[in-house]
Amino acid sequence: MPTSAAAGSVAAPVRSPLLVCLLAWFVPGAGHLLLGRKRRALIVFATVAVCFVIGVLMWGPFFSPAGGGDMLSRLIQYGGFIGDLANGVFYFIAAWAGYAPPVTAGHNADYGSKFIVCAGLLNILAIVDAYEIATRQKE
């Protein structure tokens, strides 16, 4: 029977939280896979991939951290860029392959860019989840 001091202590992390976070950012779901959570890793990978692909199929443009404009416009551009970058390998493959949709006015491209950023934000949530599992804050 464990003592009350032993029951209250937190065990050492199984994996390096930094390694888990970097891997989870670069390949969505890989942090969970490293922690042995295969089903959760598959769900994260599939969800981020589907959202990203839908955004690309809708010709959603990537955000760029462009200067100029008012403070709110810059905040939106930088926030969107962080959301795009949070997609990890999907973003880098698309950028490397030359993905640059034509600049057109319309709702398709606008919603497409929101899908791409949403995929990145979902991956950020998955990174936080993997971190909490790696540090044993969560089971």
Side-chain angles (χ1 to χ4, degrees):
M1 192 169 193
T3 63
S4 62
S9 66
V10 176
V14 176
R15 300 280 184 188
S16 165
L18 179 62
L19 175 66
V20 169
C21 289
L22 284 174
L23 199 57
W25 162 72
F26 191 66
V27 179
H32 288 94
L33 190 63
L34 183 65
L35 295 169
R37 307 291 175 101
K38 294 175 186 168
R39 186 173 299 154
R40 192 174 289 190
L42 180 64
I43 291 169
V44 167
F45 182 83
T47 304
V48 173
V50 166
C51 282
F52 188 83
V53 168
I54 288 173
V56 167
L57 290 176
M58 293 179 78
W59 291 102
F62 288 145
F63 284 89
S64 63
D70 60 302
M71 185 64 150
L72 181 61
S73 295
R74 279 186 275 158
L75 181 66
I76 290 170
Q77 288 296 322
Y78 278 100
F81 178 68
I82 290 169
D84 288 345
L85 199 59
N87 284 296
V89 72
F90 297 133
Y91 173 78
F92 293 118
I93 288 173
W96 176 76
Y99 173 73
V103 178
T104 58
H107 63 279
N108 257 5
D110 189 41
Y111 285 130
S113 68
K114 302 312 182 270
F115 265 99
I116 293 170
V117 170
C118 180
L121 295 177
L122 286 170
N123 197 33
I124 289 173
L125 288 174
I127 293 167
V128 171
D129 184 56
Y131 173 80
E132 289 178 347
I133 293 170
T135 57
R136 298 197 181 212
Q137 297 175 18
K138 180 180 181 179
E139 283 298 317

